[in-house]
Amino acid sequence: MPNPVATSLRIEQGTCYALFAYDIGLAIHLDEAERHITAIKERGRIRHKARAPQYFDYRPAPLRLTQDGQVLEFGTYRSQAAVEVMLYDFGAVTVIYRIPIEGPFESLLGLSEALYENDTLRTESRRRLEQLVRDIQPAVERPTMSDDVEDYLLFAIERCTPPDIHTLGTLYDHLFARVLRSEATPLSDQEIHEATSCRIAFSRGDLALIDWNAALIFGQGMEDVRAVLEFVNVELLEMRTLDQQLDRALDEGYEALTRRPGRKLWLPGSHERAVTHIGQLQVESAVLFERVANTLKLLGDQYLARVYRLASQRFHLDAWDASILRKLQTLDSIYGKMADRSTTQRMEYLEWIIIVLIALSIVLSFLPSSGH
């Protein structure tokens, strides 16, 4: 049975951030997008806890917008009217809703359940995104509205009672796990351990527990941790999008490679178009992969680098990276085979031309001369 003392945890001040990440195109030219937007805007920066080189940050810095919205109700909780929108240069956008939280920690269970795959927020965020795409369309390269969305919950608790969460050990883990997993029913010891195993702290006054559905962040001045988790959620979306894009590219490449040589395929240039198309897909996928992987630079901030590694581990980004690299290699192999086939076809054309010219020269030598 849970220790009854654990029910005394109380939130004095905090905010729940509901994140909805979307992919809207191949790339966003942030400077041009900024000129098309009238909302309050700034460039996102990571505020480091400890001293770290300034170049360890976003490259380039995303564009953060503050838009007017409406107050939404989730049981006893109400969201703020203002909505944040983050634009990343690799074509991703995150819509962020803020919900002030206070009172007994147990009340977060109902809020976490209400926000899990919440249809109201998904519909509202997509409507807001569609309007944004219309506003900045000239700044979006190859705009597309993907049906995929990657949502995530961040419970940032700035002040709570008791204040020192570390002195309590794992006393509250059964509550933390249910909030992280949006589960109304009590969880097993194994599930509690699994949900709360990814935890990290910078000082005695803060703590972060990171799970695949949500994260709990205790302490003041934790904007840097929140920014890293926001980015990892966007990175997961882009990995999923890129993986699907590579699946389509592999299907097209395999179809082009195994297509039976009909009459049209023997015409000059028939293979070059397929080779060019597959090569373009390969380059675009590789460029997007590098953009996402190199946007956030944290190697100089060891604490945030550990936060990023923990979140990557929980989101299985290494598995996504391995899958994408494997598919890029396969696509490169298909491209090479198609290029070799195109080269072989050109050589065959040249051989036939030479044969025809030799035959003509032989035939002409036997024809009677027209001269006297």
Side-chain angles (χ1 to χ4, degrees), residues 71-92:
V71 176
L72 302 173
E73 295 187 2
F74 308 96
T76 59
Y77 293 95
R78 305 176 67 191
S79 69
Q80 294 181 351
V83 178
E84 290 185 15
V85 180
M86 289 280 285
L87 283 71
Y88 297 86
D89 76 309
F90 47 79

Side-chain angles (χ1 to χ4, degrees), residues 6-25:
T7 60
S8 63
L9 182 60
R10 182 177 180 83
I11 302 171
E12 304 295 338
Q13 180 182 353
T15 304
C16 172
Y17 299 87
L19 315 177
F20 294 85
Y22 296 90
D23 184 87
I24 66 170

Side-chain angles (χ1 to χ4, degrees), residues 153-220:
L153 298 177
L154 286 171
F155 296 95
I157 301 171
E158 297 181 21
R159 291 188 295 110
C160 64
T161 305
D164 190 356
I165 203 74
H166 293 282
T167 62
L168 305 170
T170 59
L171 191 59
Y172 296 126
D173 278 2
H174 68 284
L175 287 176
F176 295 162
R178 291 170 65 188
V179 171
L180 291 170
R181 295 288 168 93
S182 301
E183 286 290 344
T185 58
L187 301 173
S188 67
D189 292 341
Q190 294 88 347
E191 194 68 16
I192 292 172
H193 174 73
E194 171 65 19
T196 60
S197 59
C198 288
R199 59 175 71 206
I200 187 171
F202 181 78
S203 68
R204 298 293 300 177
D206 65 72
L207 175 67
L209 292 91
I210 304 168
D211 200 28
W212 58 267
N213 175 63
L216 280 166
I217 305 174
F218 294 88
Q220 297 185 356

Side-chain angles (χ1 to χ4, degrees), residues 330-345:
T330 304
L331 192 61
D332 181 66
S333 176
I334 292 175
Y335 175 79
K337 288 180 173 60
M338 293 183 66
D340 291 342
R341 174 187 288 182
S342 180
T343 301
T344 301
Q345 187 187 52

Side-chain angles (χ1 to χ4, degrees), residues 16 22 28 38 107 125 150 161 189 244 252 285 287 299 363:
C16 172
Y22 296 90
I28 303 175
T38 58
S107 61
S125 63
E150 195 64 52
T161 305
D189 292 341
Q244 295 172 4
E252 293 178 18
S285 300
V287 168
L299 298 179
V363 171

Side-chain angles (χ1 to χ4, degrees), residues 138-281:
V140 182
E141 185 176 342
R142 206 175 302 170
T144 56
M145 279 292 295
S146 173
D147 293 332
D148 293 332
V149 57
E150 195 64 52
D151 57 343
Y152 197 69
L153 298 177
L154 286 171
F155 296 95
I157 301 171
E158 297 181 21
R159 291 188 295 110
C160 64
T161 305
D164 190 356
I165 203 74
H166 293 282
T167 62
L168 305 170
T170 59
L171 191 59
Y172 296 126
D173 278 2
H174 68 284
L175 287 176
F176 295 162
R178 291 170 65 188
V179 171
L180 291 170
R181 295 288 168 93
S182 301
E183 286 290 344
T185 58
L187 301 173
S188 67
D189 292 341
Q190 294 88 347
E191 194 68 16
I192 292 172
H193 174 73
E194 171 65 19
T196 60
S197 59
C198 288
R199 59 175 71 206
I200 187 171
F202 181 78
S203 68
R204 298 293 300 177
D206 65 72
L207 175 67
L209 292 91
I210 304 168
D211 200 28
W212 58 267
N213 175 63
L216 280 166
I217 305 174
F218 294 88
Q220 297 185 356
M222 300 291 284
E223 293 85 358
D224 52 358
V225 175
R226 181 166 63 86
V228 171
L229 294 179
E230 286 179 9
F231 178 79
V232 176
N233 185 61
V234 171
E235 187 173 5
L236 175 60
L237 169 76
E238 290 302 307
M239 294 297 103
R240 287 176 49 197
T241 303
L242 182 54
D243 189 73
Q244 295 172 4
Q245 177 180 320
L246 285 170
D247 283 339
R248 292 191 295 269
L250 288 173
D251 290 340
E252 293 178 18
Y254 181 77
E255 181 183 355
L257 188 63
T258 58
R259 192 178 302 156
R260 291 183 178 181
R263 182 178 299 176
K264 290 184 178 180
L265 290 179
W266 289 104
L267 296 175
S270 57
H271 284 296
E272 278 75 1
R273 286 191 294 271
V275 170
T276 301
H277 178 62
I278 298 302
Q280 184 179 5
L281 293 175

